[in-house]
């Protein structure tokens, strides 16, 4: 794990989207300011909790899919708090030797993950900013855990909307994919205002007051983040519609999601 002193300072009075997300999921790793801001968003977007949960269930199904495709190593960028049903649980349930490298920039998330993971030798949490791939790949929790000569599932689930257009998320994810072996996967989800623009615009204003504002993007701009991969069936769909266990659950709820297979890049 990276040195905690490298993390941004923790201020419980400044609402943080990672902890708001934890609140929406029913978790306990959040403070009063997080809850108050999350409730403000909910007042504008009544389906936000359903959307966040649909995203989380998509994550579980996509991890299971990767294991079924023979990929048992995971690089989870913007991993959040690894509570019930998180990546290492789903992956190791399906493949006991699966390895999971979590990466997150938020101090409470990293501290909680450290406590939750305890002595699990096949799961690490690295405190790092995903905008710096060299630092991520060089971190011991990533470098010493993942064998990059074998396929890896790159997870960017509900995180790229924290990056601004100036961060150029399309180019950034390609820098990660280029380091991965053929047969690797890229699992992605991202919030959108495509289905419900007005409440989303209001939510965007609320998020501007948090530590990390959100950028809602259109389907076309999100699909561009998987350009160069082979999109697996059913392509880019609402998170709730990606291979749902119960098709009756599949509704438009606000996250575009897809999985791309990574082919033969000229690797860096
Ligand atoms: C909404 S949570 C998603 C958690 C998990 N991926 C999921 O979908 O259930 C987004 C996470 O991304 C993290 N994050 C935001 N910007 C980041 C960055 N630049 N580098 C690393 N993590 C980041 C936040 O701290 C938060 O924990």
């Amino acid at each position: 794990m990276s040195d905690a002193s490298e993390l941004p300072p923790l201020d419980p009075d400044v609402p943080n989207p990672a902890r708001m997300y934890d609140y929406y999921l029913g978790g306990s790793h959040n403070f009063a300011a997080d809850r108050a801001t999350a409730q403000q968003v909910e007042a504008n977007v009544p389906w936000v909790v359903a959307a966040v949960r649909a995203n989380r269930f998509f994550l579980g199904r996509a991890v299971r899919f990767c294991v079924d495709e023979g990929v048992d190593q995971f690089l989870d960028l913007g991993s959040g708090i690894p509570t019930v049903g998180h990546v290492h649980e789903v992956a190791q349930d399906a493949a006991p030797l699966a390895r999971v490298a979590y990466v997150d920039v938020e101090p409470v998330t990293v501290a909680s993950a450290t406590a939750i993971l305890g002595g699990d030798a096949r799961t690490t949490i690295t405190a790092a900013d995903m905008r710096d791939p060299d630092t991520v790949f060089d971190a011991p929790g990533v470098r010493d855990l993942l064998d990059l000569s074998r396929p890896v599932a790159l997870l960017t689930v509900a995180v790229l909307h924290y990056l601004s257009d100036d961060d150029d998320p399309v180019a950034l994810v390609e820098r990660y994919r280029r380091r991965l072996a053929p047969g690797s996967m890229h699992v992605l989800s991202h919030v959108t205002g495509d289905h419900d623009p007005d409440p989303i615009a209001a939510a965007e204003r609320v998020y501007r007051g948090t530590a990390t504002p959100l950028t809602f993007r259109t389907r076309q701009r999100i699909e561009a983040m998987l350009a160069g991969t082979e999109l697996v069936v059913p392509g880019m769909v609402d998170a709730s519609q990606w291979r749902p266990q119960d098709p009756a659950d599949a509704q438009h709820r606000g996250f575009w999601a897809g999985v791309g297979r990574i082919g033969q890049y000229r690797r860096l």
Side-chain angles (χ1 to χ4, degrees):
M1 190 187 317
S2 301
D3 185 339
S5 63
E6 294 165 15
L7 292 169
L10 165 66
D11 184 347
D13 295 327
V14 176
N16 181 283
R19 303 191 302 258
M20 289 164 61
Y21 183 82
D22 175 67
Y23 168 78
Y24 293 136
L25 285 175
S28 56
H29 304 271
N30 49 71
F31 300 115
D34 306 315
R35 293 190 285 277
T37 308
Q39 284 157 8
Q40 246 180 296
V41 173
E42 215 176 340
N44 289 292
V45 189
W47 45 260
V48 63
V49 171
V52 164
R53 291 189 180 161
N55 172 69
R56 185 71 151 203
F57 295 144
F58 156 73
L59 172 62
R61 294 194 301 279
V63 167
R64 184 74 204 212
F65 170 82
C66 291
V67 172
D68 289 347
E69 293 291 302
V71 181
D72 65 355
Q73 307 188 92
F74 294 83
L75 176 56
D76 187 356
L77 305 176
S79 48
I81 295 162
T83 50
V84 177
H86 211 58
V87 172
H88 69 289
E89 290 179 340
V90 178
Q92 289 170 359
D93 186 47
L97 296 181
R99 289 164 180 259
V100 179
Y102 290 124
V103 176
D104 206 287
V105 77
E106 205 277 318
V108 171
T109 298
V110 174
S112 308
T114 306
I116 290 166
L117 296 174
D120 181 344
R122 286 188 300 282
T123 309
T124 60
I125 170 83
T126 294
D129 190 323
M130 68 176 287
R131 290 174 293 185
D132 183 354
D134 291 338
T135 297
V136 169
F137 280 112
D138 286 347
V142 176
R143 189 190 59 213
D144 299 344
L145 187 75
L146 303 181
D147 173 1
L148 297 187
S149 69
R150 296 199 303 112
V152 170
L154 172 69
L155 310 182
T156 58
V157 178
V159 63
L160 293 168
H161 40 249
Y162 295 114
L163 305 193
S164 70
D165 290 345
D166 288 348
D167 294 322
D168 197 351
V170 171
L172 179 69
V173 289
E174 195 177 342
R175 285 179 68 194
Y176 279 94
R177 289 197 301 257
R178 282 186 174 276
R179 305 273 281 254
L180 304 181
S184 293
M185 299 281 184
H186 184 178
V187 176
L188 178 149
S189 73
H190 191 298
V191 290
T192 186
D194 284 355
H195 312 305
D196 226 351
D198 294 341
I200 289 296
E204 201 166 9
R205 283 194 291 278
V206 176
Y207 270 99
R208 262 185 234 134
T210 70
T212 326
L214 285 190
T215 301
F216 292 81
R217 295 187 173 93
T218 61
R219 177 190 177 132
Q220 196 184 16
R221 299 192 64 207
I222 297 166
E223 223 163 17
M225 296 172 186
L226 285 177
T229 69
E230 180 199 326
L231 263 186
V232 305
V233 174
M236 178 70 67
V237 292
D238 187 81
S240 63
Q241 293 176 330
W242 198 88
R243 299 176 181 239
Q245 271 150 6
D246 180 355
D249 285 344
Q251 306 166 21
H252 289 296
R253 284 176 176 146
F255 279 85
W256 288 118
V259 177
R261 199 183 303 275
I262 298 171
Q264 197 74 48
Y265 272 104
R266 189 176 56 80
R267 293 176 66 202
L268 298 176

